């Protein structure tokens, strides 16, 4: 199978390319080599076409392609309203241009990198009002150290629950809004072209090669870098925020499985959560990294950011049933290895 892989020089794209080639597929790679992700002095891989999907023509790269794996994106939080245009241009306009080029080339299948951020905060259960979205946390509660969200109806305590792919979108940042839009563009393209799309909603991805010191760095890399400097990881709130950390090896494998099966999926867009299925708190993650690296114990700062979600945990059932995907790397093992894994330092 001939695959066009966008974002081929990135953290996740690199792993997808390696696994796809190992399974006998031909990979045509492209990457914009954005300075924010790769540094201003990066030496591009001559095997990867340097193209910017916002402005450059990619029709020639789609010749004889069977399926597109679209990983290229501007990532990070995007927590300032002034970030909105950049995310819309890099992620949404670029995706629209790619889909239009695929239509011209007669390519009918795409696997799209989406994200858990489309859900916003997780979903909760109230003993009085049943399943509910969380109410916005107030500054008064956060200042007082009450970090758990309340029921939006009765104001009482609520408990987090797993969410599946039918959960409504509630994006909270520019990045999240752009990922929702990418899924909508892909869905519209499917309707217009009779195409098939699989959107993989990644949870907290970590592993070797993740960026260490860029706006694209995740919390695991930020903690790892602090430990390497001899500093204690600084954990916001009380460290009890629940997440699902999924290893990049598993994320790449989910993509290859999707690429191999998308042509057998129904017309339209199908979404799958890509998660380990094992919950970990932010505090546990910091402790695991510190212990494995022989560093200082994490520091609970009590600091907070109103836009942060408290808990978000996905059900992995649909990916298991629809793709045959189950994560292989347990977070406690993968995060311990991250203490010595090489990171991308640009």
């Amino acid at each position: 199978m001939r695959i066009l892989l966008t974002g081929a020089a990135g953290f996740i794209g690199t792993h997808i390319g390696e696994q796809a080639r190992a399974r006998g597929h031909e990979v045509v790679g492209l990457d914009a080599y954005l300075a924010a992700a790769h540094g201003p002095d990066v030496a591009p891989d001559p095997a990867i076409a340097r193209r910017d999907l916002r402005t450059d023509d990619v029709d020639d790269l789609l010749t004889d392609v069977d399926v597109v794996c679209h990983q290229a994106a501007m990532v990070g939080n995007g927590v300032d309203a002034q970030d909105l245009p950049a995310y819309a241009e890099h992620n949404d306009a670029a995706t629209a241009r790619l889909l239009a080029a695929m239509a011209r080339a007669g390519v009918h299948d795409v696997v799209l990198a989406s994200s858990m951020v489309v859900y916003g905060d997780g979903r909760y259960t109230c003993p009085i009002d049943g399943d509910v979205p969380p109410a916005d946390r107030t500054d008064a509660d956060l200042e007082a150290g009450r970090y758990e969200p309340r029921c939006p109806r009765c104001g009482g305590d609520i408990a987090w629950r797993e969410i599946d792919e039918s959960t409504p979108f509630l994006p909270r940042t520019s990045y999240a809004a752009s990922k929702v839009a990418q899924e909508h563009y892909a869905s519209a393209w499917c309707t217009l072209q009779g195409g098939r799309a699989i959107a993989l909603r990644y949870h907290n991805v970590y592993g070797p090669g993740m960026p260490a010191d860029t706006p694209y760095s995740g919390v695991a890399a930020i903690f790892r870098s602090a430990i390497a400097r001899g500093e204690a990881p600084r954990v916001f709130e009380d460290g009890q925020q629940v997440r699902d950390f999924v290893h990049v090896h598993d994320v790449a494998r989910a993509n290859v499985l999707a690429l191999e099966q998308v042509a057998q999926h129904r017309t339209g867009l199908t979404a799958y959560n890509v998660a380990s299925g094992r919950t970990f708190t932010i505090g546990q993650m910091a402790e695991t990294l510190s212990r494995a690296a022989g560093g200082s114990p994490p520091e609970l700062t009590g600091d907070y950011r109103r836009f942060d979600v408290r808990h978000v945990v996905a059900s992995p059932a649909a990916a298991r049933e629809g793709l045959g995907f189950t994560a292989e790397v347990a977070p406690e093992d993968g995060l311990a290895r991250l203490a010595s894994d090489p990171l991308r330092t640009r």
Side-chain angles (χ1 to χ4, degrees):
M1 186 165 61
R2 184 176 171 89
I3 301 165
L4 175 63
L5 173 62
T6 75
F11 167 44
I12 297 173
T14 298
H15 287 269
I16 293 171
E18 290 172 355
Q19 289 196 28
R21 292 185 185 95
R23 290 178 67 90
H25 301 300
E26 180 184 0
V27 178
V28 179
L30 74 82
D31 201 293
Y33 285 96
L34 297 176
H38 299 277
D41 302 317
V42 64
D45 183 341
I48 297 175
R50 187 167 192 170
R51 303 283 179 89
D52 188 328
L53 290 170
R54 295 173 298 169
T55 55
D56 295 335
D57 190 293
V58 296
D59 291 57
D60 59 313
L61 299 180
L62 286 161
T63 301
D64 297 326
V65 160
D66 298 298
V67 59
V68 171
C69 186
H70 184 33
Q71 304 295 313
M74 179 178 176
V75 299
N77 281 321
V79 297
D80 190 307
Q82 299 309 309
D83 296 330
L84 285 164
Y87 279 95
E89 291 161 8
H90 280 281
N91 296 355
D92 304 331
T95 297
R97 287 176 55 87
L98 173 64
L99 292 168
M102 290 171 60
R104 291 192 296 273
V107 179
H108 296 285
D109 298 315
V110 61
V111 173
L112 170 70
S114 188
S115 172
M116 67 172 188
V117 297
V118 299
Y119 302 124
D121 208 329
R123 299 299 184 271
Y124 297 78
T125 300
C126 172
I128 297 173
D129 295 300
D131 290 344
V132 293
D136 287 340
R137 298 188 296 174
T138 67
D139 285 327
D141 275 349
L142 292 166
E143 286 287 349
R146 181 187 168 97
Y147 303 117
E148 295 295 334
R150 300 175 186 266
C151 176
R153 297 172 188 162
C154 70
D157 293 336
I158 52 179
W160 66 264
R161 61 180 173 84
E162 279 190 347
I163 53 179
D164 64 20
E165 291 80 358
S166 67
T167 302
F169 295 147
L170 285 173
R172 298 167 63 91
T173 65
S174 303
Y175 174 59
S178 74
K179 283 296 171 183
V180 170
Q182 280 186 307
E183 288 201 27
H184 285 327
Y185 274 110
S187 181
W189 169 84
C190 288
T191 299
L192 294 169
Q193 293 298 126
R196 294 167 291 264
I198 292 177
L200 299 178
R201 295 174 182 166
Y202 305 156
H203 282 249
N204 295 266
V205 186
Y206 70 95
M210 70 187 304
D213 59 353
T214 80
Y216 288 33
S217 300
V219 66
I222 291 169
F223 288 170
R224 156 72 194 277
S225 296
I227 294 166
R229 295 192 300 268
E231 302 170 2
R234 291 175 54 82
V235 181
F236 281 13
E237 301 184 12
D238 58 359
Q240 296 305 303
Q241 308 94 312
V242 179
R243 297 289 188 273
D244 186 304
F245 293 93
V246 59
H247 197 273
V248 68
H249 166 84
D250 285 322
V251 172
R253 189 165 56 84
N255 272 275
V256 175
L257 287 170
L259 289 164
E260 293 175 342
Q261 297 178 54
V262 63
Q264 284 73 55
H265 272 57
R266 61 175 176 80
T267 299
L269 183 141
T270 305
Y272 295 108
N273 292 321
V274 176
S276 72
R278 303 277 292 276
T279 58
F280 240 56
T281 68
I282 299 293
Q284 285 177 312
M285 183 267 286
E287 289 172 4
T288 300
L289 279 174
S290 293
R291 190 182 311 114
S296 301
E299 175 187 349
L300 296 178
T301 67
D303 294 340
Y304 65 87
R305 299 179 298 189
R306 287 201 62 196
F307 61 80
D308 283 342
V309 302
R310 179 62 177 172
H311 308 299
V312 57
V313 179
S315 168
R320 181 174 60 248
E321 295 165 7
L323 295 176
F325 169 77
T326 301
E328 296 177 342
V329 182
E332 55 267 32
D333 298 328
L335 288 167
R337 293 204 301 268
L338 184 64
S340 56
D341 279 338
L343 301 187
R344 178 176 301 190
T345 58
R346 301 199 298 178

